[in-house]
Structure formats: structure tokens, C-alpha cells
Amino acid sequence: MKYVLETCVDSVQSAIEAQKGGATRLELCSNLVIGGTSPSQALYEQVKEHTNLEVRALLRPRFGDFCYDNYEFQVLRSEVKMFQKLGADGIVIGILNPDGTLNMEQMKYLKEDAKDMKVTLHRAFDVCKDPYETMEKAIELGIDTILTSGQKSSAWDGRELIADLIEKSKGRIEILSGAGINPEVIKKLIPYTKGTSYHMSGKIVVDSKMQFRREGVPMGIPGFSEFEIWQTSSENIKLAAQVLEELV
């Protein structure tokens, strides 16, 4: 494959739209609005029933940092084993020590539990202390992919580090650029970083089907409307795929 266009999705409809648009791989999660948490078995099974793309499951027990207590770690181990039994193509994980280094002890357990599944180190990488040391540790663990924005709020802002990681990795690990990715950004990043792997949601905001609307009763994070649905747009994915077809 010349390029990777991974789409992060948290619903069956988004997964269908991603495939329709030309995505090559899915990162499946729940709750994208808070950066993603682990998806359910039921969601995974429905996505596999309605698409035929490679699926990597994001495993994250909660919103917030990537330093987990033993209860959270045991949840992660159970989820890795569950998705391995379900036949998932891969998992997306990341655990840090309090000092910002990669938690090699816990990551080794998860990698062993994953068996033959592909493993992506998620954006815990973007808040680690030393990205170069962490990349080498990830390679040492046998991790396949690092998802990164170059330790900035967007991949474009982090383009210098992304380019350096791609050069220094020398093909030993996939560097997957993510955060703020759209067709125009891909068009600029390809010549700058020489990267061929991109991660995006391609989302649009879809209006709720609810006609009766009880206002002023928030169910979650204040400031987020209960009547807006984030959903992947096949057109956004298609435009990104066209850029990659032209430039890679």
C-alpha cells in the first residue's frame, strides 16, 4: 500500500462513511468528543459486520492523563485480551510513568497480551518527556505505529518533529501524523515530512433528529450541545484520499 489513511470513528455510521470515502484503516473508539475511550464489544462487532476495513481498537479507560493505577491497568489488560479473542487487527495503547517516560513494564504486558495483533502507541507519545527515547523504546517493544502530532496541538504545528521522527525511524516503525488533519494539511505535510500515513476523523456536525428539545439540561460536559452529533463525512475522507493518491 502506498499510503495509510486511518479514520478515527466512534459509531457504525462513521465507520461506514469512512469506508465509503476511501479510508484504508479504522481506529475504533468511543467518546471522540473527549479524545476517545475504549469501544464496546457490541460496537466493534457491528463495525466489522458493516465494513471490511482493518480495525484497531483504541484502549483508554478514561479521559485525562496516561498514568494508570492498577485497577485501570487490569481493565486495559482485559480489554486487550477481549479484542484479541474477537479477532481485531490491532490495538491502540499508551501508558506513561509519572516522570514522563514510557512505562515499559506495563506496556510489555499489554504487548504480550496482544499476541499477533498490530499495536499503535497513541498520543500518550505527544506528552512524553523525550520523543526520541520513547520512539526507540516503542521499536524495542515491537510496536508497529506511533500516532503523533509532533508534540504540538496539531500535526502541522508539530511538523518539524514529525519530519525528524520519520527520518530517524528509517522505516523501523510507522509514523502516523494525527491532529488537525484535513486534505489541505496533508497536501502541505507530504513534501515537508515525507510522511505517507495520516490519521483523521473527517467529522462534520450533524443536527439531532430530536424535534422536542428540553434545553438547559446538560448530560455531560457543559458547553456541548446535546443536539449535535459528530460524524465522519465520506466526502472529507474522499478528498484526503485523492490528495494522497496524487502525491504519494
Side-chain angles (χ1 to χ4, degrees):
M1 187 176 293
K2 294 191 304 177
Y3 62 83
V4 170
L5 180 56
E6 180 179 271
T7 304
C8 49
V9 300
D10 62 1
S11 69
V12 181
Q13 190 61 53
S14 284
I16 291 169
E17 295 299 317
Q19 177 166 292
K20 197 186 301 181
T24 63
R25 187 166 80 201
L26 298 176
E27 180 195 83
L28 181 64
C29 63
S30 291
N31 303 308
L32 261 177
V33 70
I34 54 170
T37 54
S38 303
S40 68
Q41 177 177 337
L43 177 58
Y44 169 80
E45 289 174 339
Q46 285 291 304
V47 165
K48 289 301 288 185
E49 182 177 335
H50 293 285
T51 70
N52 56 19
L53 292 175
E54 177 185 339
V55 176
R56 297 191 187 188
L58 170 72
L59 303 183
R60 185 181 177 213
R62 57 162 169 78
F63 170 77
D65 66 34
F66 304 103
C67 185
Y68 300 122
D69 64 27
N70 191 54
Y71 302 112
E72 293 166 329
F73 177 59
Q74 294 306 324
V75 168
L76 282 169
R77 289 199 71 181
S78 294
E79 288 179 329
V80 171
K81 292 171 184 175
M82 178 182 75
F83 280 103
Q84 198 277 329
K85 287 178 183 174
L86 287 170
D89 299 287
I91 53 171
V92 183
I93 54 175
I95 306 178
L96 299 178
N97 291 310
D99 65 358
T101 58
L102 194 64
N103 188 321
M104 291 293 282
E105 181 182 358
Q106 291 185 338
M107 289 292 289
K108 279 177 184 174
Y109 278 112
L110 298 186
K111 182 69 173 67
E112 288 168 7
D113 292 337
K115 296 186 178 177
D116 58 348
M117 286 192 293
K118 300 285 188 181
V119 178
T120 298
L121 172 58
H122 61 42
R123 292 188 64 211
F125 180 86
D126 284 326
V127 291
C128 76
K129 188 175 183 180
D130 184 335
Y132 299 104
E133 177 188 47
T134 301
M135 180 177 74
E136 294 302 327
K137 292 292 187 183
I139 292 168
E140 181 184 322
L141 283 169
I143 287 171
D144 303 278
T145 302
I146 292 173
L147 170 61
T148 180
S149 62
Q151 297 202 320
K152 300 289 186 182
S153 61
S154 72
W156 178 246
D157 290 341
R159 61 192 180 278
E160 291 183 15
L161 178 57
I162 291 172
D164 209 27
L165 291 168
I166 290 169
E167 182 184 351
K168 286 183 167 59
S169 68
K170 299 186 186 304
R172 294 174 294 157
I173 194 167
E174 176 187 35
I175 304 299
L176 178 65
S177 298
I181 298 296
N182 59 43
E184 290 306 311
V185 170
I186 293 174
K187 198 176 292 186
K188 294 189 294 182
L189 279 173
I190 288 173
Y192 193 97
T193 67
K194 307 297 188 288
T196 58
S197 297
Y198 295 89
H199 169 101
M200 64 184 289
S201 68
K203 67 178 180 292
I204 55 173
V205 177
V206 178
D207 193 43
S208 167
K209 294 177 182 175
M210 284 296 296
Q211 294 176 340
F212 173 76
R213 301 188 177 192
R214 176 76 67 193
E215 300 290 351
V217 189
M219 297 293 167
I221 301 172
F224 282 91
S225 170
E226 305 296 337
F227 303 108
E228 291 180 350
I229 311 297
W230 288 14
Q231 186 175 293
T232 296
S233 159
S234 60
E235 186 60 28
N236 286 343
I237 302 302
K238 181 180 178 182
L239 292 171
Q242 287 174 345
V243 171
L244 286 161
E245 285 286 349
E246 291 168 9
L247 298 182
V248 174

